[in-house]
Amino acid sequence: AAAVGTSAARHDRRAGGPGLLDALGWALDATLVLGGAVVVWVVCRRGRTENRLDRRLDKTLVRWLPLGALVLLALVLLYAGWSRPGWRSEGRLPGDATFGGIALVQGVLILGLAVVAHLLYRTSPDSRTAIRGFGGPAVAMLSCALGGVMTGGGAQRVSDWLDGSDGSIDGPALVLTWQASVIPPLLVVVAVLCGWFGFRTVQRKRREMDRMAADYPDERKDSTRTRRIAGTRARAALTDRAPLLVGIISAVTLLLGAAALTGAWVTDEVPAKAAGGLPDTVEGAAQASQALGSWLIGFGFILFVTWGRRAYKDPSARRTIGILWDVGTFWPRAAHPFAPPCYAERAVPDLTWRMASWTRATSATGGRLVLSGHSQGSVLAAAAAWQLRPSVRRRVALLTYGSPLERLYGRWFPAHFGPAALTSLHREVDCWRNLYRTTDPIGGPIQLHGDCGPQVDRAALKDPLAYGRTEEHPLPAPILGHGDYQADPAFAEERARLLARLKASVPPPRPEPTPSAAAQGAPEAEGFTPAPADPPGTAG
């Protein structure tokens, strides 16, 4: 509505414009400003608290916003379609000041966020924190850049299609054109980084091949098998280098975004004759960069749609998207107001209630419980254990495997899953054991340091379980990576050890008084029954 209405209103405000259309233009512009202010107010007001449910806003204003926007768009189309003799399209579409202002404000906010993040990191520095505390600003920079290049590249691509082969139109706002132009150099930086990480991965693969003899002694070596195992380990280690990749790309994106904003402002100030006097090589490079950027954005959009379509047919792609979805929707709506509702707000209280109920059901569980969590389930397990009462928490043991608690959550969200939080959880539960593999790209060790009880991490599990064929493994053992931790004998061993520890540390439950004892007037507190014969189950 703003793109269509402002162009027509600007024409009507010229000298000699019709009075009625001029008044309608001012009225529509005021309505657009008011509607934008209302939308910003609604967004800022939503999700600011997790303790109060605001139903009045949902039932009134928010539900009318989409209909109001459509009505406003229809009115603007009627206004812009009114007959204006002698008016023809020329020049660029409006929006240089608007898009430039948005980009400038985003850059200033991200720089402010970076300053705050640096100050917070200095109060509690930790070498494992992603990008030395700049993880939040870096991801915010990439998010703003993605929105900018999608807008600029998409507008540039559509303007090329509308241009045809007979004429030449200026197309979208100058800022969007510059944003599309910085995509090729950014992709060059990404390609160089990917090449560097690929080189380091090959080096790590060679080192892992040398270590294979120590991991599988007395085995007849097979070069193909060795390369496959070493390659899986080397690729899994790329997860630990992702913060460096994100940090470098974010910094380069900030610099290129500032260059695009400056270039749009300078180009707008340069007269047309001066701009036409640029060297042919410079002008050709600029046009090639713009065209390549717009085509790459169109290709990226098709790639996004194709990947979403592939998720319906390919289990591997569906699993990858599911992991990203789980991580994003784990946090409350205050962290992502436009995303789907937070499933942890339902899963964690339900899991907490079940744990408390099972520890009270002494006849079935003996008052003890092992909480088993894999991958994102280990994050839910930790969140649920934090919600328990201390008396209940002491009857619960944690068994995590393939857990991203420290490797991903602890590094990117140190305030909630950093060393201090995980150490306190280790001290408060009865015991905690963690299983991981060097071939797992997601899960990793917890790496708790200091005097906080028994060691959490077990030594890295072998993957595959057997190098060659054995009596226990007549077929070649598969490389499991992130899945099937229960297939490893270490899982059953650690679970049995946790159950035995709980059985020894938890006092036996108080039974109901026997009829004879009740008849003799024995007090209830005097009676005990043996622990249940059946071993308690594992909640996973």
Side-chain angles (χ1 to χ4, degrees), residues 7 11 28 32 55 158 200 229 272 319 346 378 449 463:
S7 299
H11 172 268
L28 286 176
L32 287 171
R55 296 185 180 275
V158 171
R200 296 297 299 270
I229 299 173
R319 190 180 303 111
R346 301 182 299 276
S378 65
H449 304 287
D463 188 28

Side-chain angles (χ1 to χ4, degrees), residues 30-336:
T31 307
L32 287 171
V33 172
L34 178 61
V38 170
V39 171
V40 172
W41 176 77
V42 169
V43 172
C44 294
R45 191 169 185 266
R46 294 292 296 155
R48 308 315 300 174
T49 177
E50 300 296 329
N51 302 320
R52 178 175 54 85
L53 184 63
D54 189 354
R55 296 185 180 275
R56 179 182 58 84
L57 188 65
D58 289 339
K59 291 182 178 180
T60 55
L61 181 60
V62 172
R63 297 196 177 189
W64 284 101
L65 277 178
L67 179 60
L70 291 175
V71 171
L72 182 59
L73 177 60
L75 293 176
V76 168
L77 291 176
L78 290 176
Y79 162 72
W82 198 273
S83 177
R84 293 175 176 84
W87 183 37
R88 59 187 304 272
S89 299
E90 60 180 359
R92 290 183 174 271
L93 290 173
D96 271 324
T98 302
F99 289 111
I102 291 175
L104 180 61
V105 171
Q106 286 178 341
V108 172
L109 289 176
I110 289 173
L111 291 177
L113 185 62
V115 172
V116 174
H118 177 65
L119 296 177
L120 289 176
Y121 178 78
R122 291 181 59 184
T123 60
S124 180
D126 181 21
S127 59
R128 290 287 296 172
T129 303
I131 324 179
R132 299 181 63 86
F134 290 108
V139 175
M141 183 70 251
L142 292 181
S143 302
C144 294
L146 181 61
V149 299
M150 290 294 288
T151 304
Q156 190 73 26
R157 182 75 259 137
V158 171
S159 69
D160 291 341
W161 286 335
L162 293 178
D163 187 12
S165 58
D166 298 331
S168 177
I169 61 176
D170 292 330
L174 196 59
V175 175
L176 300 183
T177 302
W178 273 89
Q179 287 180 346
S181 302
V182 301
I183 298 174
L186 179 61
L187 291 180
V188 171
V189 175
V190 174
V192 171
L193 288 174
C194 291
W196 169 250
F197 282 118
F199 174 72
R200 296 297 299 270
T201 302
V202 172
Q203 289 183 325
R204 185 180 181 90
K205 179 181 178 180
R206 293 174 180 173
R207 293 195 299 268
E208 293 293 343
M209 292 176 66
D210 296 336
R211 297 173 186 170
M212 207 67 64
D215 294 340
Y216 298 96
D218 304 328
E219 291 278 359
R220 184 179 178 181
K221 296 300 181 287
D222 180 3
S223 59
T224 303
R225 177 79 162 167
T226 300
R227 284 196 299 268
R228 185 176 299 136
I229 299 173
T232 304
R233 291 181 179 181
R235 289 189 295 272
L238 287 174
T239 303
D240 298 322
R241 300 175 183 173
L244 178 61
L245 180 66
V246 172
I248 295 177
I249 294 178
S250 299
V252 173
T253 302
L254 180 61
L255 295 177
L256 290 177
L261 190 62
T262 304
W265 178 73
V266 171
T267 305
D268 188 53
E269 296 293 331
V270 173
K273 294 183 179 179
L278 294 175
D280 294 339
T281 55
V282 176
E283 187 175 356
Q287 293 179 356
S289 180
Q290 294 174 8
L292 180 60
S294 62
W295 275 106
L296 288 174
I297 286 299
F299 174 74
F301 179 77
I302 296 175
L303 188 63
F304 277 130
V305 174
T306 305
W307 196 29
R309 177 67 178 173
R310 182 175 166 227
Y312 288 94
K313 299 181 179 180
D314 188 357
S316 177
R318 184 162 57 249
R319 190 180 303 111
T320 302
I321 295 176
I323 291 173
L324 298 176
W325 185 280
D326 283 345
V327 173
T329 55
F330 170 78
W331 299 102
R333 294 295 291 275
H336 50 79

